[in-house]
Amino acid sequence: MLKAAVIGVGSMGRNHVRVYRELEGVELVAVSDQSEETAAHIGAVYSVPHYTDYLRMIEECKPDLVTLAVPTDKHYKVGLDLIERRVNLLIEKPIASTLDEATELVQSARQSGVILAVGHIERFNPAVIELRRRLREGMAGRIYNIHAQRLSPYPTRIRDAGVVIDLASHDIDLMRYLLDQPITRLYGETLRSINSDREDMFNGVLRFQSGAVGVLDVNWITPKKVRMLTITGTRGMFSCDLLSQELFFYENETAPSQWDALSVLRGVNEGNILGIRIQRHEPLAAELADFVGAVRSGGKPTVPGSDALETLRIALDFMRSAEEQLIVNLLDTNVVGVAEQML
Ligand SMILES: NC(=O)c1ccc[n+]([C@@H]2O[C@H](COP(=O)([O-])OP(=O)(O)OC[C@H]3O[C@@H](n4cnc5c(N)ncnc54)[C@H](O)[C@@H]3O)[C@@H](O)[C@H]2O)c1
């Protein structure tokens, strides 16, 4: 039995508590929150000890692994405290607020031999798992375009991060994971519409080494929750609804093949539409099972800290691009030109 605990049992942390409680080979030993009321409530619901001081909890309960689900601007301080005490940890996404903080977390975990996983949960969405498998088999052919739409109403509880690092980091991570190649340049635009402190609307364009183009459309200003991903290649288009865990493939009937030299001249044509059967499961349960497995085996989790650091780097580059109206070239990390060059 591995002993698990959760620090920060607000809206996301309490899901971790529930899932640890149901996970085989894991014993939920305690919860901690700086709010006595919140900690006591969740402790009582799950009949485990609760703490407002997480250091005391670590000392007394000695968990083997901990989920850190405090607000993003606290990930660094609490995360380092845990790493210093050699506690394996899963930090909710994004890994931290700044690149320096994230880098220190990753380096300290490496030096201390601590497993550091990050909660980029979409990698555990069963529709994404199936999509990735089929992309690798070449079902869509050569990829031209990946398009992510993540639209939401405004979340009043998030006060420490804007929509780029809080929400778009999901899609940046997904694009990196699905295409599995370096991003060579990017350009972003943001808007502060409802929230005057931080951006709540983001549009970004990025280019991968293969030439594929990624487009991100992410905001907190939409009265409908949308989580869609489309990927277009030579052989057709995948359409994935991340919320309903549905995956479709729209075949390009005239996809070029080695037997039909003329097909390229006919362009793209509507072909069959394939609904792909998905074995649905809760992504968080798969994410925590993956983390627990890495702790047990000493292996690498599906989202190691180093990977989340790269995703944060891209998110922050998008912010810089938007603020300074620049195209950011990522191969040599130099800014190569002004926005007008895109036109
Ligand atoms: N993976 C996902 O899809 C997903 C979804 C939602 C939130 N998140 C991430 O989870 C984290 C928490 O977000 P949330 O929406 O649950 O926020 P929240 O405000 O609902 O909960 C945060 C909790 O942490 C507690 N807290 C704050 N500082 C603390 C400290 N120093 N020690 C102990 N407890 C402390 C607060 O009292 C609160 O109960 C954020 O990093 C967010 O980005 C991830």
Side-chain angles (χ1 to χ4, degrees), residues 7-13 32-35 38 52 54 68-72 74-75 78 92-94 119 121 157-158 166 170 287:
I7 303 178
V9 286
S11 106
M12 193 61 194
S32 168
D33 199 288
Q34 70 175 17
S35 152
T38 305
T52 49
Y54 61 85
L68 190 52
V70 296
T72 301
K74 309 255 178 67
H75 288 185
V78 184
E92 256 307 343
K93 57 71 1 212
I121 195 165
R157 69 175 196 284
I158 297 172
D166 189 87
H170 280 298
E287 177 184 292

PDB file of all heavy atoms in Angstrom, residues 7-13 32-35 38 52 54 68-72 74-75 78 92-94 119 121 157-158 166 170 287, ligand 1:
ATOM      1  N   ILE A   7      -2.799  18.152  -0.869  1.00  0.00           N
ATOM      2  CA  ILE A   7      -2.662  19.501  -0.301  1.00  0.00           C
ATOM      3  C   ILE A   7      -3.427  20.460  -1.203  1.00  0.00           C
ATOM      4  O   ILE A   7      -3.144  20.550  -2.397  1.00  0.00           O
ATOM      5  CB  ILE A   7      -1.177  19.921  -0.203  1.00  0.00           C
ATOM      6  CG1 ILE A   7      -0.397  18.904   0.634  1.00  0.00           C
ATOM      7  CG2 ILE A   7      -1.063  21.328   0.385  1.00  0.00           C
ATOM      8  CD1 ILE A   7       1.100  19.202   0.744  1.00  0.00           C
ATOM      9  N   GLY A   8      -4.379  21.165  -0.615  1.00  0.00           N
ATOM     10  CA  GLY A   8      -5.261  22.042  -1.389  1.00  0.00           C
ATOM     11  C   GLY A   8      -6.470  21.233  -1.841  1.00  0.00           C
ATOM     12  O   GLY A   8      -6.420  20.548  -2.856  1.00  0.00           O
ATOM     13  N   VAL A   9      -7.547  21.278  -1.047  1.00  0.00           N
ATOM     14  CA  VAL A   9      -8.719  20.469  -1.384  1.00  0.00           C
ATOM     15  C   VAL A   9      -9.894  21.383  -1.760  1.00  0.00           C
ATOM     16  O   VAL A   9     -11.003  21.247  -1.273  1.00  0.00           O
ATOM     17  CB  VAL A   9      -9.076  19.459  -0.256  1.00  0.00           C
ATOM     18  CG1 VAL A   9      -8.076  18.320  -0.272  1.00  0.00           C
ATOM     19  CG2 VAL A   9      -9.102  20.116   1.126  1.00  0.00           C
ATOM     20  N   GLY A  10      -9.574  22.321  -2.671  1.00  0.00           N
ATOM     21  CA  GLY A  10     -10.616  23.186  -3.227  1.00  0.00           C
ATOM     22  C   GLY A  10     -11.300  22.456  -4.359  1.00  0.00           C
ATOM     23  O   GLY A  10     -11.509  21.237  -4.284  1.00  0.00           O
ATOM     24  N   SER A  11     -11.600  23.161  -5.421  1.00  0.00           N
ATOM     25  CA  SER A  11     -12.457  22.554  -6.436  1.00  0.00           C
ATOM     26  C   SER A  11     -11.779  21.382  -7.149  1.00  0.00           C
ATOM     27  O   SER A  11     -12.411  20.376  -7.429  1.00  0.00           O
ATOM     28  CB  SER A  11     -12.986  23.650  -7.359  1.00  0.00           C
ATOM     29  OG  SER A  11     -12.384  23.633  -8.562  1.00  0.00           O
ATOM     30  N   MET A  12     -10.472  21.452  -7.445  1.00  0.00           N
ATOM     31  CA  MET A  12      -9.811  20.324  -8.139  1.00  0.00           C
ATOM     32  C   MET A  12      -9.271  19.293  -7.157  1.00  0.00           C
ATOM     33  O   MET A  12      -9.382  18.091  -7.369  1.00  0.00           O
ATOM     34  CB  MET A  12      -8.674  20.863  -9.019  1.00  0.00           C
ATOM     35  CG  MET A  12      -8.129  19.839  -9.999  1.00  0.00           C
ATOM     36  SD  MET A  12      -9.426  19.312 -11.135  1.00  0.00           S
ATOM     37  CE  MET A  12      -8.664  17.864 -11.866  1.00  0.00           C
ATOM     38  N   GLY A  13      -8.677  19.780  -6.064  1.00  0.00           N
ATOM     39  CA  GLY A  13      -8.045  18.876  -5.105  1.00  0.00           C
ATOM     40  C   GLY A  13      -9.007  17.827  -4.562  1.00  0.00           C
ATOM     41  O   GLY A  13      -8.629  16.680  -4.334  1.00  0.00           O
ATOM     42  N   SER A  32      -4.937  18.295   3.426  1.00  0.00           N
ATOM     43  CA  SER A  32      -4.509  19.555   4.024  1.00  0.00           C
ATOM     44  C   SER A  32      -5.017  20.720   3.188  1.00  0.00           C
ATOM     45  O   SER A  32      -5.054  20.647   1.958  1.00  0.00           O
ATOM     46  CB  SER A  32      -2.973  19.577   4.093  1.00  0.00           C
ATOM     47  OG  SER A  32      -2.537  20.869   4.410  1.00  0.00           O
ATOM     48  N   ASP A  33      -5.429  21.768   3.886  1.00  0.00           N
ATOM     49  CA  ASP A  33      -5.834  22.999   3.201  1.00  0.00           C
ATOM     50  C   ASP A  33      -5.599  24.136   4.178  1.00  0.00           C
ATOM     51  O   ASP A  33      -5.776  23.973   5.387  1.00  0.00           O
ATOM     52  CB  ASP A  33      -7.314  22.938   2.791  1.00  0.00           C
ATOM     53  CG  ASP A  33      -7.644  23.959   1.709  1.00  0.00           C
ATOM     54  OD1 ASP A  33      -7.685  25.169   2.026  1.00  0.00           O
ATOM     55  OD2 ASP A  33      -7.850  23.552   0.544  1.00  0.00           O
ATOM     56  N   GLN A  34      -5.224  25.296   3.650  1.00  0.00           N
ATOM     57  CA  GLN A  34      -4.977  26.417   4.571  1.00  0.00           C
ATOM     58  C   GLN A  34      -6.275  26.894   5.210  1.00  0.00           C
ATOM     59  O   GLN A  34      -6.255  27.535   6.257  1.00  0.00           O
ATOM     60  CB  GLN A  34      -4.253  27.551   3.860  1.00  0.00           C
ATOM     61  CG  GLN A  34      -5.074  28.299   2.852  1.00  0.00           C
ATOM     62  CD  GLN A  34      -4.323  29.502   2.265  1.00  0.00           C
ATOM     63  OE1 GLN A  34      -3.111  29.605   2.377  1.00  0.00           O
ATOM     64  NE2 GLN A  34      -5.039  30.396   1.632  1.00  0.00           N
ATOM     65  N   SER A  35      -7.381  26.571   4.581  1.00  0.00           N
ATOM     66  CA  SER A  35      -8.680  26.897   5.181  1.00  0.00           C
ATOM     67  C   SER A  35      -9.107  25.753   6.099  1.00  0.00           C
ATOM     68  O   SER A  35      -9.334  24.620   5.642  1.00  0.00           O
ATOM     69  CB  SER A  35      -9.724  27.112   4.078  1.00  0.00           C
ATOM     70  OG  SER A  35     -11.008  26.788   4.551  1.00  0.00           O
ATOM     71  N   THR A  38     -12.440  24.186   5.046  1.00  0.00           N
ATOM     72  CA  THR A  38     -12.365  23.299   3.869  1.00  0.00           C
ATOM     73  C   THR A  38     -11.697  21.983   4.236  1.00  0.00           C
ATOM     74  O   THR A  38     -12.192  20.900   3.891  1.00  0.00           O
ATOM     75  CB  THR A  38     -11.558  23.997   2.739  1.00  0.00           C
ATOM     76  OG1 THR A  38     -12.167  25.252   2.473  1.00  0.00           O
ATOM     77  CG2 THR A  38     -11.534  23.174   1.477  1.00  0.00           C
ATOM     78  N   THR A  52      -4.184  22.005   8.621  1.00  0.00           N
ATOM     79  CA  THR A  52      -4.025  23.288   7.937  1.00  0.00           C
ATOM     80  C   THR A  52      -2.532  23.525   7.674  1.00  0.00           C
ATOM     81  O   THR A  52      -2.180  24.310   6.807  1.00  0.00           O
ATOM     82  CB  THR A  52      -4.583  24.465   8.785  1.00  0.00           C
ATOM     83  OG1 THR A  52      -4.065  24.342  10.102  1.00  0.00           O
ATOM     84  CG2 THR A  52      -6.097  24.462   8.801  1.00  0.00           C
ATOM     85  N   TYR A  54       0.571  21.864   6.181  1.00  0.00           N
ATOM     86  CA  TYR A  54       0.931  20.668   5.391  1.00  0.00           C
ATOM     87  C   TYR A  54       2.268  20.070   5.832  1.00  0.00           C
ATOM     88  O   TYR A  54       2.505  18.878   5.685  1.00  0.00           O
ATOM     89  CB  TYR A  54       0.921  20.969   3.888  1.00  0.00           C
ATOM     90  CG  TYR A  54       1.888  22.034   3.423  1.00  0.00           C
ATOM     91  CD1 TYR A  54       3.209  21.733   3.128  1.00  0.00           C
ATOM     92  CD2 TYR A  54       1.476  23.354   3.259  1.00  0.00           C
ATOM     93  CE1 TYR A  54       4.094  22.711   2.694  1.00  0.00           C
ATOM     94  CE2 TYR A  54       2.351  24.336   2.833  1.00  0.00           C
ATOM     95  CZ  TYR A  54       3.659  24.004   2.550  1.00  0.00           C
ATOM     96  OH  TYR A  54       4.531  24.976   2.133  1.00  0.00           O
ATOM     97  N   LEU A  68      -0.559  18.112  -5.269  1.00  0.00           N
ATOM     98  CA  LEU A  68      -0.522  19.514  -4.887  1.00  0.00           C
ATOM     99  C   LEU A  68      -1.544  20.247  -5.750  1.00  0.00           C
ATOM    100  O   LEU A  68      -1.339  20.400  -6.954  1.00  0.00           O
ATOM    101  CB  LEU A  68       0.890  20.025  -5.159  1.00  0.00           C
ATOM    102  CG  LEU A  68       1.272  21.383  -4.641  1.00  0.00           C
ATOM    103  CD1 LEU A  68       0.966  21.475  -3.172  1.00  0.00           C
ATOM    104  CD2 LEU A  68       2.769  21.594  -4.873  1.00  0.00           C
ATOM    105  N   ALA A  69      -2.640  20.657  -5.133  1.00  0.00           N
ATOM    106  CA  ALA A  69      -3.701  21.324  -5.902  1.00  0.00           C
ATOM    107  C   ALA A  69      -4.047  22.672  -5.275  1.00  0.00           C
ATOM    108  O   ALA A  69      -5.204  23.047  -5.152  1.00  0.00           O
ATOM    109  CB  ALA A  69      -4.934  20.420  -5.998  1.00  0.00           C
ATOM    110  N   VAL A  70      -2.987  23.377  -4.873  1.00  0.00           N
ATOM    111  CA  VAL A  70      -3.158  24.754  -4.375  1.00  0.00           C
ATOM    112  C   VAL A  70      -3.146  25.673  -5.601  1.00  0.00           C
ATOM    113  O   VAL A  70      -2.786  25.239  -6.694  1.00  0.00           O
ATOM    114  CB  VAL A  70      -2.030  25.122  -3.377  1.00  0.00           C
ATOM    115  CG1 VAL A  70      -2.107  24.243  -2.147  1.00  0.00           C
ATOM    116  CG2 VAL A  70      -0.646  24.992  -4.021  1.00  0.00           C
ATOM    117  N   PRO A  71      -3.533  26.945  -5.456  1.00  0.00           N
ATOM    118  CA  PRO A  71      -3.496  27.842  -6.629  1.00  0.00           C
ATOM    119  C   PRO A  71      -2.098  27.888  -7.251  1.00  0.00           C
ATOM    120  O   PRO A  71      -1.090  27.703  -6.558  1.00  0.00           O
ATOM    121  CB  PRO A  71      -3.903  29.196  -6.035  1.00  0.00           C
ATOM    122  CG  PRO A  71      -4.721  28.852  -4.824  1.00  0.00           C
ATOM    123  CD  PRO A  71      -4.096  27.615  -4.267  1.00  0.00           C
ATOM    124  N   THR A  72      -2.056  28.131  -8.562  1.00  0.00           N
ATOM    125  CA  THR A  72      -0.808  28.029  -9.330  1.00  0.00           C
ATOM    126  C   THR A  72       0.336  28.861  -8.742  1.00  0.00           C
ATOM    127  O   THR A  72       1.487  28.413  -8.718  1.00  0.00           O
ATOM    128  CB  THR A  72      -1.096  28.443 -10.788  1.00  0.00           C
ATOM    129  OG1 THR A  72      -2.105  27.545 -11.278  1.00  0.00           O
ATOM    130  CG2 THR A  72       0.126  28.352 -11.657  1.00  0.00           C
ATOM    131  N   LYS A  74       1.142  29.278  -5.876  1.00  0.00           N
ATOM    132  CA  LYS A  74       1.708  28.666  -4.658  1.00  0.00           C
ATOM    133  C   LYS A  74       2.420  27.338  -4.971  1.00  0.00           C
ATOM    134  O   LYS A  74       2.981  26.710  -4.072  1.00  0.00           O
ATOM    135  CB  LYS A  74       0.589  28.374  -3.646  1.00  0.00           C
ATOM    136  CG  LYS A  74      -0.331  29.556  -3.367  1.00  0.00           C
ATOM    137  CD  LYS A  74      -0.018  30.151  -2.010  1.00  0.00           C
ATOM    138  CE  LYS A  74      -0.843  31.374  -1.662  1.00  0.00           C
ATOM    139  NZ  LYS A  74      -2.249  31.107  -1.464  1.00  0.00           N
ATOM    140  N   HIS A  75       2.365  26.884  -6.222  1.00  0.00           N
ATOM    141  CA  HIS A  75       2.960  25.583  -6.567  1.00  0.00           C
ATOM    142  C   HIS A  75       4.448  25.534  -6.193  1.00  0.00           C
ATOM    143  O   HIS A  75       4.949  24.530  -5.691  1.00  0.00           O
ATOM    144  CB  HIS A  75       2.817  25.306  -8.068  1.00  0.00           C
ATOM    145  CG  HIS A  75       1.414  24.979  -8.494  1.00  0.00           C
ATOM    146  ND1 HIS A  75       1.084  24.608  -9.781  1.00  0.00           N
ATOM    147  CD2 HIS A  75       0.247  24.971  -7.807  1.00  0.00           C
ATOM    148  CE1 HIS A  75      -0.218  24.391  -9.863  1.00  0.00           C
ATOM    149  NE2 HIS A  75      -0.753  24.612  -8.676  1.00  0.00           N
ATOM    150  N   VAL A  78       5.180  25.499  -2.095  1.00  0.00           N
ATOM    151  CA  VAL A  78       4.755  24.243  -1.460  1.00  0.00           C
ATOM    152  C   VAL A  78       5.489  23.063  -2.117  1.00  0.00           C
ATOM    153  O   VAL A  78       5.924  22.132  -1.439  1.00  0.00           O
ATOM    154  CB  VAL A  78       3.217  24.067  -1.557  1.00  0.00           C
ATOM    155  CG1 VAL A  78       2.768  22.822  -0.807  1.00  0.00           C
ATOM    156  CG2 VAL A  78       2.484  25.301  -1.017  1.00  0.00           C
ATOM    157  N   GLU A  92      -0.679  19.977  -9.816  1.00  0.00           N
ATOM    158  CA  GLU A  92      -1.714  20.296 -10.800  1.00  0.00           C
ATOM    159  C   GLU A  92      -1.122  21.231 -11.853  1.00  0.00           C
ATOM    160  O   GLU A  92      -0.172  21.958 -11.584  1.00  0.00           O
ATOM    161  CB  GLU A  92      -2.935  20.934 -10.108  1.00  0.00           C
ATOM    162  CG  GLU A  92      -4.106  19.997  -9.948  1.00  0.00           C
ATOM    163  CD  GLU A  92      -4.539  19.331 -11.267  1.00  0.00           C
ATOM    164  OE1 GLU A  92      -4.172  19.804 -12.343  1.00  0.00           O
ATOM    165  OE2 GLU A  92      -5.261  18.320 -11.199  1.00  0.00           O
ATOM    166  N   LYS A  93      -1.698  21.212 -13.053  1.00  0.00           N
ATOM    167  CA  LYS A  93      -1.184  22.083 -14.109  1.00  0.00           C
ATOM    168  C   LYS A  93      -1.649  23.515 -13.886  1.00  0.00           C
ATOM    169  O   LYS A  93      -2.669  23.694 -13.222  1.00  0.00           O
ATOM    170  CB  LYS A  93      -1.594  21.583 -15.503  1.00  0.00           C
ATOM    171  CG  LYS A  93      -3.078  21.426 -15.749  1.00  0.00           C
ATOM    172  CD  LYS A  93      -4.093  22.462 -15.907  1.00  0.00           C
ATOM    173  CE  LYS A  93      -4.157  23.874 -15.925  1.00  0.00           C
ATOM    174  NZ  LYS A  93      -5.371  24.508 -15.416  1.00  0.00           N
ATOM    175  N   PRO A  94      -0.943  24.537 -14.367  1.00  0.00           N
ATOM    176  CA  PRO A  94       0.399  24.465 -14.936  1.00  0.00           C
ATOM    177  C   PRO A  94       1.424  24.283 -13.824  1.00  0.00           C
ATOM    178  O   PRO A  94       1.134  24.591 -12.670  1.00  0.00           O
ATOM    179  CB  PRO A  94       0.540  25.827 -15.611  1.00  0.00           C
ATOM    180  CG  PRO A  94      -0.320  26.739 -14.791  1.00  0.00           C
ATOM    181  CD  PRO A  94      -1.471  25.915 -14.317  1.00  0.00           C
ATOM    182  N   GLY A 119      -0.203  17.619 -13.713  1.00  0.00           N
ATOM    183  CA  GLY A 119      -1.571  17.209 -14.061  1.00  0.00           C
ATOM    184  C   GLY A 119      -2.101  17.710 -15.400  1.00  0.00           C
ATOM    185  O   GLY A 119      -3.192  18.287 -15.443  1.00  0.00           O
ATOM    186  N   ILE A 121      -4.045  16.781 -17.722  1.00  0.00           N
ATOM    187  CA  ILE A 121      -4.991  15.671 -17.673  1.00  0.00           C
ATOM    188  C   ILE A 121      -5.482  15.196 -19.041  1.00  0.00           C
ATOM    189  O   ILE A 121      -5.859  14.033 -19.192  1.00  0.00           O
ATOM    190  CB  ILE A 121      -6.181  16.091 -16.769  1.00  0.00           C
ATOM    191  CG1 ILE A 121      -7.017  14.883 -16.379  1.00  0.00           C
ATOM    192  CG2 ILE A 121      -7.022  17.167 -17.435  1.00  0.00           C
ATOM    193  CD1 ILE A 121      -7.959  15.172 -15.222  1.00  0.00           C
ATOM    194  N   ARG A 157     -13.252  31.871  -9.500  1.00  0.00           N
ATOM    195  CA  ARG A 157     -12.326  31.485  -8.428  1.00  0.00           C
ATOM    196  C   ARG A 157     -10.856  31.630  -8.841  1.00  0.00           C
ATOM    197  O   ARG A 157      -9.983  31.674  -7.990  1.00  0.00           O
ATOM    198  CB  ARG A 157     -12.609  30.066  -7.950  1.00  0.00           C
ATOM    199  CG  ARG A 157     -12.267  29.000  -8.934  1.00  0.00           C
ATOM    200  CD  ARG A 157     -12.440  27.608  -8.405  1.00  0.00           C
ATOM    201  NE  ARG A 157     -11.756  26.678  -9.267  1.00  0.00           N
ATOM    202  CZ  ARG A 157     -12.207  26.296 -10.434  1.00  0.00           C
ATOM    203  NH1 ARG A 157     -13.343  26.771 -10.891  1.00  0.00           N
ATOM    204  NH2 ARG A 157     -11.520  25.446 -11.187  1.00  0.00           N
ATOM    205  N   ILE A 158     -10.573  31.703 -10.145  1.00  0.00           N
ATOM    206  CA  ILE A 158      -9.166  31.777 -10.557  1.00  0.00           C
ATOM    207  C   ILE A 158      -8.711  33.221 -10.593  1.00  0.00           C
ATOM    208  O   ILE A 158      -9.148  34.003 -11.431  1.00  0.00           O
ATOM    209  CB  ILE A 158      -8.957  31.084 -11.925  1.00  0.00           C
ATOM    210  CG1 ILE A 158      -9.291  29.599 -11.792  1.00  0.00           C
ATOM    211  CG2 ILE A 158      -7.514  31.258 -12.406  1.00  0.00           C
ATOM    212  CD1 ILE A 158      -9.326  28.839 -13.073  1.00  0.00           C
ATOM    213  N   ASP A 166      -3.368  29.280 -17.584  1.00  0.00           N
ATOM    214  CA  ASP A 166      -4.319  28.413 -16.884  1.00  0.00           C
ATOM    215  C   ASP A 166      -5.013  27.432 -17.833  1.00  0.00           C
ATOM    216  O   ASP A 166      -5.130  26.253 -17.532  1.00  0.00           O
ATOM    217  CB  ASP A 166      -5.375  29.239 -16.160  1.00  0.00           C
ATOM    218  CG  ASP A 166      -6.220  28.360 -15.249  1.00  0.00           C
ATOM    219  OD1 ASP A 166      -5.803  28.163 -14.095  1.00  0.00           O
ATOM    220  OD2 ASP A 166      -7.249  27.826 -15.708  1.00  0.00           O
ATOM    221  N   HIS A 170      -3.387  23.486 -21.452  1.00  0.00           N
ATOM    222  CA  HIS A 170      -3.928  22.159 -21.790  1.00  0.00           C
ATOM    223  C   HIS A 170      -3.693  21.855 -23.270  1.00  0.00           C
ATOM    224  O   HIS A 170      -3.271  20.758 -23.637  1.00  0.00           O
ATOM    225  CB  HIS A 170      -5.447  22.130 -21.571  1.00  0.00           C
ATOM    226  CG  HIS A 170      -5.856  21.941 -20.142  1.00  0.00           C
ATOM    227  ND1 HIS A 170      -5.554  20.828 -19.419  1.00  0.00           N
ATOM    228  CD2 HIS A 170      -6.587  22.728 -19.316  1.00  0.00           C
ATOM    229  CE1 HIS A 170      -6.065  20.916 -18.200  1.00  0.00           C
ATOM    230  NE2 HIS A 170      -6.693  22.063 -18.117  1.00  0.00           N
ATOM    231  N   GLU A 287      -4.813   9.317 -14.742  1.00  0.00           N
ATOM    232  CA  GLU A 287      -3.648  10.171 -14.422  1.00  0.00           C
ATOM    233  C   GLU A 287      -3.029   9.758 -13.082  1.00  0.00           C
ATOM    234  O   GLU A 287      -1.811   9.614 -12.961  1.00  0.00           O
ATOM    235  CB  GLU A 287      -4.105  11.633 -14.362  1.00  0.00           C
ATOM    236  CG  GLU A 287      -3.017  12.608 -13.969  1.00  0.00           C
ATOM    237  CD  GLU A 287      -3.572  14.034 -13.834  1.00  0.00           C
ATOM    238  OE1 GLU A 287      -3.949  14.602 -14.873  1.00  0.00           O
ATOM    239  OE2 GLU A 287      -3.637  14.557 -12.710  1.00  0.00           O
TER     240      GLU A 287
HETATM  241  N1  LIG B   1      -6.244  19.612 -14.451  1.00  0.00           N
HETATM  242  C1  LIG B   1      -7.306  20.386 -14.541  1.00  0.00           C
HETATM  243  O1  LIG B   1      -8.120  20.234 -15.430  1.00  0.00           O
HETATM  244  C2  LIG B   1      -7.518  21.458 -13.518  1.00  0.00           C
HETATM  245  C3  LIG B   1      -8.807  21.948 -13.269  1.00  0.00           C
HETATM  246  C4  LIG B   1      -8.977  22.926 -12.293  1.00  0.00           C
HETATM  247  C5  LIG B   1      -7.870  23.410 -11.616  1.00  0.00           C
HETATM  248  N2  LIG B   1      -6.636  22.932 -11.893  1.00  0.00           N
HETATM  249  C6  LIG B   1      -5.447  23.437 -11.170  1.00  0.00           C
HETATM  250  O2  LIG B   1      -5.562  23.073  -9.795  1.00  0.00           O
HETATM  251  C7  LIG B   1      -5.001  24.088  -8.974  1.00  0.00           C
HETATM  252  C8  LIG B   1      -6.059  24.521  -7.953  1.00  0.00           C
HETATM  253  O3  LIG B   1      -7.149  25.057  -8.634  1.00  0.00           O
HETATM  254  P1  LIG B   1      -8.623  25.036  -8.006  1.00  0.00           P
HETATM  255  O4  LIG B   1      -9.516  25.445  -9.103  1.00  0.00           O
HETATM  256  O5  LIG B   1      -8.867  23.756  -7.299  1.00  0.00           O
HETATM  257  O6  LIG B   1      -8.495  26.223  -6.950  1.00  0.00           O
HETATM  258  P2  LIG B   1      -9.364  26.419  -5.617  1.00  0.00           P
HETATM  259  O7  LIG B   1      -9.170  27.848  -5.248  1.00  0.00           O
HETATM  260  O8  LIG B   1     -10.745  25.912  -5.802  1.00  0.00           O
HETATM  261  O9  LIG B   1      -8.654  25.486  -4.534  1.00  0.00           O
HETATM  262  C9  LIG B   1      -7.375  25.761  -4.025  1.00  0.00           C
HETATM  263  C10 LIG B   1      -7.342  25.334  -2.558  1.00  0.00           C
HETATM  264  O10 LIG B   1      -6.002  25.484  -2.083  1.00  0.00           O
HETATM  265  C11 LIG B   1      -6.067  26.025  -0.753  1.00  0.00           C
HETATM  266  N3  LIG B   1      -4.773  26.659  -0.491  1.00  0.00           N
HETATM  267  C12 LIG B   1      -4.303  27.836  -0.941  1.00  0.00           C
HETATM  268  N4  LIG B   1      -3.030  28.031  -0.528  1.00  0.00           N
HETATM  269  C13 LIG B   1      -2.706  26.963   0.229  1.00  0.00           C
HETATM  270  C14 LIG B   1      -1.533  26.573   0.930  1.00  0.00           C
HETATM  271  N5  LIG B   1      -0.437  27.349   0.938  1.00  0.00           N
HETATM  272  N6  LIG B   1      -1.567  25.412   1.624  1.00  0.00           N
HETATM  273  C15 LIG B   1      -2.665  24.622   1.621  1.00  0.00           C
HETATM  274  N7  LIG B   1      -3.807  24.937   0.973  1.00  0.00           N
HETATM  275  C16 LIG B   1      -3.803  26.075   0.273  1.00  0.00           C
HETATM  276  C17 LIG B   1      -7.239  26.975  -0.778  1.00  0.00           C
HETATM  277  O11 LIG B   1      -7.748  27.218   0.525  1.00  0.00           O
HETATM  278  C18 LIG B   1      -8.233  26.210  -1.659  1.00  0.00           C
HETATM  279  O12 LIG B   1      -9.085  25.374  -0.906  1.00  0.00           O
HETATM  280  C19 LIG B   1      -4.565  25.217  -9.914  1.00  0.00           C
HETATM  281  O13 LIG B   1      -3.187  25.075 -10.182  1.00  0.00           O
HETATM  282  C20 LIG B   1      -5.354  24.957 -11.192  1.00  0.00           C
HETATM  283  O14 LIG B   1      -4.702  25.410 -12.363  1.00  0.00           O
HETATM  284  C21 LIG B   1      -6.440  21.962 -12.807  1.00  0.00           C
END
